[in-house]
């Protein structure tokens, strides 16, 4: 019975991940997830007493995937921290572009009480990687503040790119030149890619 219960919990999260990928955050209701998982509408409550807890479990999957991608480009090889920040930023923008529903959910703290449910344990280590790298590039600066500003800038680029606004304004179909400009603004001149 225990494996069956664990399996149902994972299946509910799997269904939620698939649903947010296909239909966006607005589709993530307990009733719809239960229906698509083939269980009664009350079944999710045994594993996720609140809708918030199920949304957080789904978002945790997104942070885990993004974390794996970030680790792949920052975890070794090229020791140049500025280049690694460029790779991290590119991965972030590509993740946002390729996973718009999940990306929106992951950063909707109005929907997710990340502190109470442990989601910060998944998300804050990603930010710590950026802070560490920024501290190496700009040792005299407040690395946390610069990393926060850089992240906010990247988040804005991701959102505006998704809406098509930046392509229209910059007359560009590739975000690489814009990314180089963002990195220069926050890290100073240097080879961005």
């Amino acid at each position: 019975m225990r494996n069956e219960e664990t399996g149902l919990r994972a299946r509910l999260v799997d269904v939620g991940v698939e649903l947010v990928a296909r239909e966006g955050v607005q589709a993530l209701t307990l009733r719809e997830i239960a229906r698509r998982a083939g269980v009664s509408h009350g079944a999710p409550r045994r594993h996720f007493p609140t809708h918030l807890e199920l949304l957080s479990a789904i978002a945790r999957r997104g942070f885990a995937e993004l974390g794996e991608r970030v680790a792949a480009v920052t975890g070794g090889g090229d020791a140049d921290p500025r280049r690694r920040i460029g790779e991290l930023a590119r991965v972030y923008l590509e993740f946002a572009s390729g996973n718009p529903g999940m990306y929106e959910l992951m950063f909707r703290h109005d929907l997710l009480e990340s502190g109470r449910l442990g989601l910060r344990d998944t998300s804050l280590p990603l930010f710590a990687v950026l802070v560490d790298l920024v501290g190496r590039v700009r040792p005299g600066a407040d690395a946390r503040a610069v990393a926060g500003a850089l992240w906010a800038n990247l988040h804005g680029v991701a959102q505006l790119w998704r809406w098509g606004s930046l392509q229209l304004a910059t007359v560009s179909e590739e975000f690489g030149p814009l990314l180089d400009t963002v990195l220069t603004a926050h890290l100073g001149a240097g080879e961005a890619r």
Side-chain angles (χ1 to χ4, degrees), residues 101-121:
M102 180 61 81
Y103 179 78
E104 179 183 349
L105 176 64
M106 289 164 57
F107 297 104
R108 290 284 308 269
H109 288 279
D110 59 324
L111 296 178
L112 307 172
E113 292 179 21
S114 58
R116 186 174 69 81
L117 299 174
L119 192 56
R120 289 182 186 154
D121 297 338

Side-chain angles (χ1 to χ4, degrees), residues 63-88:
F63 279 114
E65 181 181 341
L66 180 58
E68 289 172 9
R69 292 182 186 192
V70 166
V73 299
T74 62
D78 190 354
D80 177 16
R82 192 178 200 295
R83 183 176 302 277
R84 289 166 65 194
I85 291 171
E87 290 300 316
L88 182 155

Side-chain angles (χ1 to χ4, degrees), residues 5 10 34 41 52 77 88 100 109-110 117 119 122 127 158-159 170 173:
E5 291 297 311
H41 70 271
L52 178 70
L88 182 155
H109 288 279
D110 59 324
L117 299 174
L119 192 56
T122 309
F127 184 67
Q159 196 63 50
T170 62
E173 291 301 317

